[in-house]
Amino acid sequence: MKAILQIEQVEMTFQTQKGPFHALRDVSININRGEFISIIGHSDCGKSTLLNIIAGLHRATRGGVILEGQEVCEPGPDRAVVFQNHSLLPWFSVYGNVQLAVDKVFRQNMTRAERHEWVMHNLELVHMEDARDKRPAEISGGMKQRVGIARALAMKPKVLLLDEPMGALDALTRASLQDSILEIHSGQHSTIVMITHDVDEAVLLSDRIVMMSNGPAATIAEILNVELPRPRNRVELADDGAYNHYRAEVLRFLYQNKGKQILN
Ligand SMILES: Nc1ncnc2c1ncn2[C@@H]1O[C@H](COP(=O)(O)OP(=O)(O)OP(=O)(O)O)[C@@H](O)[C@H]1O
Ligand SMILES: [Mg+2]
């Protein structure tokens, strides 16, 4: 597989009122096309900072991010982000929220009818076509996240960036959205980078789990290759020895690094 995204020696120092704060040091990883990467680590270790650098929302103090050979300098539709707290526009319908993104990106190269088809196709991918006329206030948190994912996918991003998209959901809603993300990943061959705090979620979805050391000056401490065949089924995996081994590895990492700074 070929790397679509190269993260090279990323350093991040924020200037704060109390002086410089060294958030990330020497973060490097190559991400392959079609790969599903999870980033896991204790709170405050710089996961969102790293994702925001990939998105182009923050500029790394040193090092950088290269997407298909081009350096990332600003946000763009080729790197769509979904945050934990759905960011839908409240006065637009479900359809309208996705349509807005599609019009922005594809007004020049799709007809109105094609754009309509494309909005509906993406709503279908997340099973939200029946709620197309509802407003965000009329749908549940899980449904809002589905619409956020549809909106992100509709921009045909080269990389989909998910910052704890299921963090605020109850367990059942979360499981159902995880299944949809698995379906989308296998059906669309999407390249996905997702932050999560949930060990089962990381193992179920990922090809690799990037485990970050605690901050300040956090970095990649370990990378776990999850070599479970796809398609993956959560019920079957619950009793699977390899699945439980991976799960135990991540738990061990998080437990060992609880509340302490790792020195290399
Ligand atoms: N704009 C900023 N200015 C100053 N410091 C910042 C800024 N953004 C983040 N930080 C600091 O960088 C560190 C990492 O923050 P970040 O939000 O990336 O952590 P995180 O791993 O995503 O945490 P969580 O799991 O709680 O979401 C924190 O100590 C945070 O206070
Ligand atoms: Mg965060």
Side-chain angles (χ1 to χ4, degrees):
M1 271 197 283
K2 189 171 171 285
I4 183 170
L5 187 68
Q6 295 160 270
I7 299 167
E8 291 191 350
Q9 297 178 348
V10 162
E11 293 276 332
M12 189 66 184
T13 301
F14 290 109
Q15 297 305 328
T16 74
Q17 284 178 342
K18 292 184 193 158
F21 177 78
H22 193 187
L24 294 173
R25 72 175 157 97
D26 199 22
V27 176
S28 295
I29 181 173
N30 284 346
I31 296 173
N32 297 319
R33 200 177 293 279
E35 222 183 349
F36 196 122
I37 299 279
S38 284
I39 302 176
I40 204 162
H42 288 288
S43 203
D44 252 10
C45 72
K47 303 181 293 298
S48 297
T49 302
L50 180 59
L51 204 81
N52 287 335
I53 291 171
I54 301 173
L57 296 166
H58 286 327
R59 195 78 205 262
T61 322
R62 268 201 295 163
V65 174
I66 296 165
L67 177 64
E68 282 192 332
Q70 299 273 329
E71 190 172 5
V72 166
C73 301
E74 56 184 8
D78 54 0
R79 285 151 288 123
V81 195
V82 179
F83 295 102
Q84 174 172 357
N85 293 317
H86 35 78
S87 45
L88 303 180
L89 297 173
W91 54 91
F92 283 102
S93 65
V94 160
Y95 182 94
N97 267 279
V98 180
Q99 183 188 32
L100 208 66
V102 170
D103 284 353
K104 197 168 159 197
V105 182
F106 298 114
R107 195 181 284 281
Q108 309 296 333
N109 33 18
M110 280 190 195
T111 64
R112 183 186 285 262
E114 284 168 342
R115 294 201 302 269
H116 166 72
E117 288 299 312
W118 184 238
V119 172
M120 289 310 295
H121 170 74
N122 282 282
L123 288 174
E124 282 157 22
L125 282 179
V126 297
H127 311 296
M128 283 298 292
E129 66 276 22
D130 292 342
R132 55 177 278 189
D133 295 324
K134 292 204 157 71
R135 298 204 181 248
E138 299 170 313
I139 59 176
S140 68
M143 290 163 98
K144 284 180 206 164
Q145 288 305 73
R146 286 179 182 274
V147 180
I149 292 170
R151 183 176 58 183
L153 287 172
M155 294 190 266
K156 289 195 193 171
K158 290 176 181 153
V159 185
L160 183 60
L161 304 171
L162 307 174
D163 192 345
E164 295 192 62
M166 293 165 270
L169 306 179
D170 66 84
L172 277 180
T173 309
R174 194 177 182 120
S176 135
L177 192 50
Q178 286 165 356
D179 289 342
S180 292
I181 292 179
L182 270 177
E183 246 173 68
I184 288 164
H185 175 246
S186 64
Q188 314 274 301
H189 311 290
S190 326
T191 308
I192 302 181
V193 181
M194 178 184 77
I195 297 174
T196 182
H197 275 112
D198 183 320
V199 174
D200 283 296
E201 181 169 291
V203 178
L204 179 68
L205 297 178
S206 311
D207 296 305
R208 283 191 287 166
I209 303 176
V210 171
M211 297 183 267
M212 306 261 310
S213 67
N214 297 353
T219 191
I220 296 176
E222 291 182 34
I223 298 180
L224 181 71
N225 291 319
V226 181
E227 285 165 5
L228 296 169
R230 295 180 187 268
R232 297 179 183 169
N233 176 302
R234 71 175 62 247
V235 179
E236 287 165 14
L237 285 174
D239 285 331
D240 184 279
Y243 176 86
N244 283 304
H245 162 76
Y246 293 129
R247 195 174 175 277
E249 281 292 294
V250 182
L251 281 171
R252 173 197 54 76
F253 173 83
L254 290 174
Y255 185 76
Q256 282 176 355
N257 299 301
K258 201 172 164 199
K260 79 172 187 205
Q261 162 81 48
I262 305 174
L263 300 168
N264 287 315

